[in-house]
Amino acid sequence: MEPPEARTQLSGMLLCTDEGRLPLPTWAVWFAELGSWAVDVAEQGVCGTIAVSIPAREFASVLIGCGAVYAAFKPQLDTSPRGSQFHRAVRLEPGSHAVRLVSTLNNTAFVGILNEAVTKNHREGYSVGGAWIPADRYRIDLLRWPDNPKDFMGQSRILEHFDIPVDADVLFPGSAADFCGFSALHCAIVGNGAAVQQEAEVLVATSTTAEPVPLGTLLRPRTVREKARQFRSVLVPAREDPEDYCELIASRRPQLVILDGAAAVCRWLGSEMAPVTIALVERTAPAGEAAADNLDRSRARSSRDLLLPADLIPVPAGIEVLAWQSEAGNP
């Protein structure tokens, strides 16, 4: 019997350590595939919770997030001559929107306030931060929350070079310029943001000779307080008040929310920020029992259990997982 086809590119990655390059451990690949499956569940219109009991929380949310980002990605950059977004930009209210202009030719971008979309010398272009930029060479990434246009008012355009790692094209689910240049919220991670960012620095490589890249290259996280940074996931401190963020995150329609740790589960379970919630509960945590009780109550209100798909690799030793479907508005 042939093994199931891998859900994400991480299954073929090599972990870069001081001792050399080793295949990514099976448990790491499983977490990434779990994130991918969670997105599949959400795209089928199912609301649900996936509870995962783990010995320790380290790296779990990062790997799940990578799998979710990979599965949720949809192309945004059209480099063809017909791919211009000029006519859409004309309809935007002048001076009210912060945008990133992404080059179709390289990894250059400009961030600023869109003053207007104009025709100059018979060429279509964008006036951003006082500079005219040709529409046939750039595409617009409209910066909605968590970017506040007021932060860019009165400023000149900001030049930035978004990072496209060497030899990492096969790591991305789409073109590198598209994936690295544009923003979309695929998943939110609630927990210790500093720990998640540190874990995202772990290096992987696509081959024995390719340049190593951090896991964050795929996860592309940012905190809710950062300005204009390109992102695919958002980090939210577990200690914050859920009411301050739930509506904002839900408005960006992520497919998945990861509650990273028992404390986050206790405080944020039921926040309804995305169709699917993955609750990670480390068994040794002081709040572990309380988190388990909250999850038991949630499951008691569920309409049915969800079975792990047949193409998911077996659950690693030491990890327990339960999943259930809930009606919208009844977590």
Side-chain angles (χ1 to χ4, degrees):
M1 181 177 178
E2 294 184 359
E5 184 178 350
R7 285 175 166 266
T8 77
Q9 292 298 89
L10 284 178
S11 63
M13 293 296 105
L14 300 175
L15 179 65
C16 300
T17 69
D18 294 338
E19 289 74 31
R21 301 188 179 190
L22 309 171
L24 206 63
T26 302
W27 62 264
V29 177
W30 182 83
F31 277 125
E33 294 205 350
L34 183 70
S36 175
W37 174 61
V39 169
D40 288 347
V41 171
E43 290 182 341
Q44 293 168 15
V46 175
C47 296
T49 300
I50 303 172
V52 187
S53 174
I54 49 181
R57 56 144 303 279
E58 282 80 8
F59 299 103
S61 64
V62 170
L63 293 162
I64 292 171
C66 286
V69 166
Y70 190 94
F73 171 80
K74 298 293 186 295
Q76 294 165 271
L77 177 61
D78 185 350
T79 59
S80 71
R82 297 182 179 181
S84 173
Q85 298 165 312
F86 178 81
H87 295 294
R88 190 180 76 178
V90 169
R91 297 194 293 267
L92 296 176
E93 183 179 353
S96 300
H97 299 279
V99 298
R100 172 182 284 105
L101 296 181
V102 181
S103 172
T104 60
L105 306 176
N106 52 48
N107 62 340
T108 299
F110 294 97
V111 176
I113 295 295
L114 177 66
N115 295 326
E116 57 181 336
V118 296
T119 301
K120 180 179 179 181
N121 298 329
H122 306 290
R123 292 188 69 189
E124 297 172 337
Y126 310 112
S127 175
V128 174
W132 186 85
I133 301 176
D136 58 353
R137 294 176 56 191
Y138 291 86
R139 301 293 181 260
I140 281 186
D141 182 19
L142 186 62
L143 303 183
R144 300 182 179 90
W145 180 89
D147 300 297
N148 190 335
K150 293 181 181 179
D151 295 333
F152 304 93
M153 293 296 182
Q155 296 186 29
S156 299
R157 64 179 185 174
I158 301 169
L159 172 66
E160 67 175 22
H161 296 279
F162 50 90
D163 179 34
I164 300 180
V166 178
D167 296 331
D169 285 1
V170 297
L171 180 63
F172 302 130
S175 74
D178 191 342
F179 187 84
C180 297
F182 281 77
S183 297
L185 182 55
H186 301 313
C187 73
I189 301 176
V190 180
N192 184 333
V196 172
Q197 288 180 317
Q198 183 176 5
E199 291 160 5
E201 293 301 312
V202 169
L203 297 176
V204 296
T206 57
S207 71
T208 56
T209 57
E211 285 290 324
V213 295
L215 284 174
T217 299
L218 187 56
L219 183 63
R220 302 196 78 82
R222 64 172 282 181
T223 70
V224 296
R225 296 184 180 87
E226 288 180 289
K227 295 179 182 178
R229 180 176 173 180
Q230 190 276 346
F231 64 99
R232 295 283 166 180
S233 62
V234 166
L235 308 180
V236 184
R239 294 182 178 180
E240 298 282 355
D241 188 341
E243 292 186 1
D244 292 340
Y245 297 98
C246 290
E247 183 177 348
L248 291 172
I249 293 175
S251 69
R252 293 301 301 270
R253 299 183 180 179
Q255 301 281 37
L256 176 65
V257 167
I258 303 166
L259 304 182
D260 186 5
V265 173
C266 289
R267 190 170 179 83
W268 290 76
L269 185 65
S271 54
E272 298 184 39
M273 294 182 289
V276 176
T277 296
I278 291 186
L280 298 172
V281 179
E282 65 274 42
R283 289 190 285 272
T284 58
E289 288 191 17
D293 288 342
N294 286 348
L295 290 166
D296 284 341
R297 287 192 290 270
S298 173
R299 189 184 180 201
R301 297 190 298 268
S302 68
S303 56
R304 67 183 179 95
D305 282 346
L306 298 174
L307 300 178
L308 296 180
D311 64 346
L312 197 69
I313 61 177
V315 180
I319 294 175
E320 298 175 354
V321 57
L322 284 172
W324 55 89
Q325 180 178 350
S326 58
E327 303 296 333
N330 183 28

